[in-house]
Amino acid sequence: MLNDVEKCLISREQIAEKVALLGQQISEDYRGKDLIVVGILKGAVVFLSDLIREISIPLYIDFMAVSSYGSSTESSGVVRILNDLDMSIEGMHVLIVEDIVDTGLTLKYLVENLKNRKAASVKVCTLLEKPARRKVKVDLDYNGFVIPDEFAVGYGLDYNNKYRSLPGIYVLKKEIYSS
Ligand code: 5GP
């Protein structure tokens, strides 16, 4: 897999350091509150599993799978829920855990959708954001890294369902995307 990589954007060590900081901050902010961490499948799975082990307060975990219509590298803004939460979030403090915010369209839809379910609060924790491509404003309450306008893979993020298990964040060689 590393043969397909052009460059490393963020190393596994940098990620581990940042995830520990985010976990500490979240633990302080949500102390004494009913926290539910909602992971967005599949990209956020690796981030979520590291993050929850850095959070020192009790929490619930649930997942949603969504698909945004569009090509493999471009989101369209039309979001469909493929797999919904198992738990009711009424009265709970919801923290959405996302892999990356690009146009912001997926997250905007998710925040509004979860707020409508009478959650006490809905906040967002994303590992990566690409401000250059933002189309809608979404508040990112916890944000790991800002990255340039490049298609990132690794640490849960895929290209055509591959590369999720790479330990850091990488950009692939041009010929991989065009083949
Ligand atoms: P948005 O709705 O913010 O445009 O896109 C969010 C989703 O698009 C992310 O959850 C992710 O699945 C996908 N996405 C956006 N940019 C990238 C990227 O650079 N790499 C990968 N692997 N997925 C991305």
Side-chain angles (χ1 to χ4, degrees), residues 75 98-106 130 150-152 157-158:
S75 121
E98 235 321 9
D99 51 0
I100 183 164
V101 182
D102 185 19
T103 62
L105 291 163
T106 306
K130 265 195 253 184
E150 299 203 76
F151 193 79
L157 287 94
D158 74 311

Side-chain angles (χ1 to χ4, degrees), residues 18-98:
K18 184 70 75 168
V19 171
L21 283 176
L22 289 170
Q24 274 170 25
Q25 205 185 328
I26 291 165
S27 308
E28 284 164 25
D29 294 351
Y30 285 91
R31 200 167 301 282
K33 293 181 174 166
D34 283 328
L35 171 62
I36 179 162
V37 173
V38 172
I40 309 305
L41 297 171
K42 303 174 191 169
V45 162
V46 178
F47 177 38
L48 180 135
S49 55
D50 282 347
L51 182 67
I52 54 172
R53 286 174 292 171
E54 300 290 347
I55 299 178
S56 55
I57 57 168
L59 54 81
Y60 297 93
I61 302 167
D62 209 339
F63 293 95
M64 281 178 92
V66 295
S67 89
S68 64
Y69 293 103
S71 70
S72 57
T73 56
E74 206 54 49
S75 121
S76 66
V78 183
V79 179
R80 190 163 56 112
I81 296 180
L82 303 177
N83 213 318
D84 208 343
L85 298 176
D86 288 335
M87 295 179 59
S88 160
I89 54 167
E90 190 170 340
M92 310 268 301
H93 293 273
V94 177
L95 184 63
I96 300 173
V97 175
E98 235 321 9

Side-chain angles (χ1 to χ4, degrees), residues 98-174:
E98 235 321 9
D99 51 0
I100 183 164
V101 182
D102 185 19
T103 62
L105 291 163
T106 306
L107 207 51
K108 184 178 161 61
Y109 171 85
L110 281 170
V111 169
E112 276 167 19
N113 183 291
L114 296 184
K115 277 189 176 158
N116 285 338
R117 302 185 196 193
K118 302 198 179 98
S121 69
V122 179
K123 289 193 173 181
V124 173
C125 177
T126 183
L127 179 69
L128 307 173
E129 77 151 325
K130 265 195 253 184
R133 287 169 43 91
R134 188 67 36 80
K135 286 189 182 153
V136 287
K137 187 181 173 298
V138 200
D139 291 327
L140 304 179
D141 304 281
Y142 305 93
N143 183 16
F145 301 91
V146 173
I147 62 164
D149 186 8
E150 299 203 76
F151 193 79
V153 298
Y155 199 70
L157 287 94
D158 74 311
Y159 176 64
N160 282 346
N161 272 313
K162 282 173 74 182
Y163 310 106
R164 291 192 198 276
S165 58
L166 287 173
I169 301 291
Y170 302 87
V171 175
L172 297 176
K173 290 177 183 159
K174 299 252 174 338

